[in-house]
Amino acid sequence: MLRLYFGFHCFLLCYFKFSPLQWNSGVGMHMKIILILKIFLFIALTSCKITDEIGYGSQLKVSKGYELLKENNKEKVTVKYPIIIKENTTFDGKNKIFEWSGKGKCNQDEGQLPIFIMFSNSTLKNVYISNSPEGVHIKGQNILIDNMVNFGVCEDAVSTSTRGEFVGIRIFNSTFMNYEDKALQINKGVDIEIINNKFINCKIPIRVTVADNVKIKNNYASGCKHFVQSGPRVKKLNIDNNKFNCNKNYSRGDRSVSDLNYKIIDYHKKKLK
């Protein structure tokens, strides 16, 4: 993406310095502005197509998601309050885009409203998410997120709380774009699987703070600083067969997150059998 922006600015500099369309020529300023906008749009669309061609992540096309954002039709759903996915239920977004319009700021402030809240034995699939202060909050056990595209979410795309126990979190076949900080914030969790996802321009795609038995496999990341940020209280961390252009793993503790309570964890595991 940075190379595209650099190329774009170089093109403009050369074009308007050496072409017949000099800034002091008779060509109207509005024509030049239109030309700039057309070039920028072309680059943006090309970038989306390049992202879609990367063989990881969601089957939903990023380019299609941006098209849906610009349109007012039945494929675009405006969300003012968090959508609750109750226990033992599946929320199928049916390839629609869910755009947040409720309270919140697009920044790194903690504790803002999510667009989805998931409880035990629930599934979220086939959905685009945009413009949400936070993405998905996990509030239970045996959670599946599958085939989701997350762009324009301001804070963490998926997160668990710093208190409580969360057993069986699976995040599969999803795409996460343009995160100033972290995309996945797993504060606490046991038996976590993060498989075949795509992270584009995310500073830290995956943060795991206090966890046991974590599998991170077959994911792709570009434009990152650290692919995974783990902590000293993470046990059995398996990072295998991923593709990324940044540091593999950076360890950083966080004492605000409570220790795992294996008595409660064992109770949840027995209920899931």
Side-chain angles (χ1 to χ4, degrees):
M1 180 65 76
L2 290 175
R3 283 182 297 205
L4 286 171
Y5 281 121
F6 179 75
F8 170 62
H9 288 298
C10 287
F11 173 85
L12 290 181
L13 179 63
C14 295
Y15 189 86
F16 288 110
K17 185 174 182 179
F18 300 112
S19 77
L21 288 179
Q22 298 289 329
W23 289 110
N24 57 358
S25 69
V27 179
M29 180 66 72
H30 68 283
M31 293 298 295
K32 296 169 186 174
I33 294 174
I34 291 172
L35 177 60
I36 292 173
L37 291 175
K38 285 183 177 180
I39 295 169
F40 185 79
L41 180 60
F42 172 77
I43 292 172
L45 292 175
T46 302
S47 175
C48 291
K49 290 180 181 178
I50 291 172
T51 300
D52 288 334
E53 291 170 0
I54 299 171
Y56 297 80
S58 176
Q59 294 180 355
L60 301 176
K61 301 296 185 182
V62 171
S63 53
K64 177 63 176 178
Y66 281 118
E67 289 178 10
L68 293 176
L69 271 176
K70 294 184 291 185
E71 301 171 0
N72 292 316
N73 55 39
K74 61 182 180 181
E75 305 301 319
K76 182 177 177 181
V77 180
T78 301
V79 181
K80 192 172 183 179
Y81 302 101
I83 297 172
I84 308 298
I85 307 178
K86 298 179 180 179
E87 289 190 11
N88 306 308
T89 60
T90 295
F91 186 96
D92 187 345
K94 298 181 179 178
N95 303 345
K96 296 181 180 181
I97 188 162
F98 290 75
E99 185 177 31
W100 181 259
S101 66
K103 293 182 179 179
K105 298 178 181 178
C106 193
N107 57 25
Q108 294 297 305
D109 288 354
E110 300 288 346
Q112 299 197 71
L113 290 174
I115 194 166
F116 288 100
I117 301 175
M118 300 182 69
F119 288 91
S120 292
N121 304 311
S122 65
T123 297
L124 172 63
K125 65 179 183 178
N126 306 328
V127 61
Y128 291 95
I129 295 176
S130 176
N131 196 44
S132 180
E134 296 202 20
V136 180
H137 282 187
I138 293 174
K139 299 289 186 181
Q141 326 303 320
N142 191 28
I143 299 295
L144 173 61
I145 296 173
D146 187 24
N147 200 32
M148 172 176 71
V149 173
N150 231 301
F151 50 72
V153 176
C154 309
E155 241 276 282
D156 309 324
V158 181
S159 63
T160 64
S161 175
T162 59
R163 297 289 184 271
E165 311 303 333
F166 308 94
V167 179
I169 300 171
R170 292 166 293 160
I171 303 172
F172 295 163
N173 312 316
S174 295
T175 299
F176 304 89
M177 297 188 63
N178 302 322
Y179 283 84
E180 183 180 337
D181 195 16
K182 298 170 290 292
L184 306 182
Q185 173 75 61
I186 309 300
N187 288 300
K188 296 188 69 179
V190 173
D191 299 339
I192 301 165
E193 294 180 282
I194 302 170
I195 298 176
N196 191 40
N197 299 287
K198 179 165 51 182
F199 303 90
I200 306 297
N201 294 330
C202 302
K203 182 179 179 181
I204 301 173
I206 303 166
R207 166 70 163 142
V208 184
T209 309
V210 180
D212 193 347
N213 192 25
V214 181
K215 181 188 292 185
I216 301 173
K217 186 175 181 180
N218 296 339
N219 300 283
Y220 173 92
S222 67
C224 51
K225 182 177 181 181
H226 305 292
F227 176 55
V228 176
Q229 187 178 86
S230 64
R233 290 182 286 166
V234 176
K235 303 176 182 178
K236 299 178 186 176
L237 174 60
N238 180 12
I239 305 174
D240 181 49
N241 198 33
N242 301 281
K243 186 175 181 180
F244 47 88
N245 63 355
C246 52
N247 294 330
K248 180 178 180 180
N249 188 15
Y250 172 72
S251 182
R252 176 177 175 268
D254 185 349
R255 297 311 306 176
S256 69
V257 182
S258 64
D259 290 328
L260 295 174
N261 186 325
Y262 282 95
K263 185 176 181 179
I264 296 175
I265 290 167
D266 290 341
Y267 169 77
H268 286 310
K269 285 188 174 183
K270 288 177 182 178
K271 286 188 66 176
L272 294 175
K273 289 182 178 178

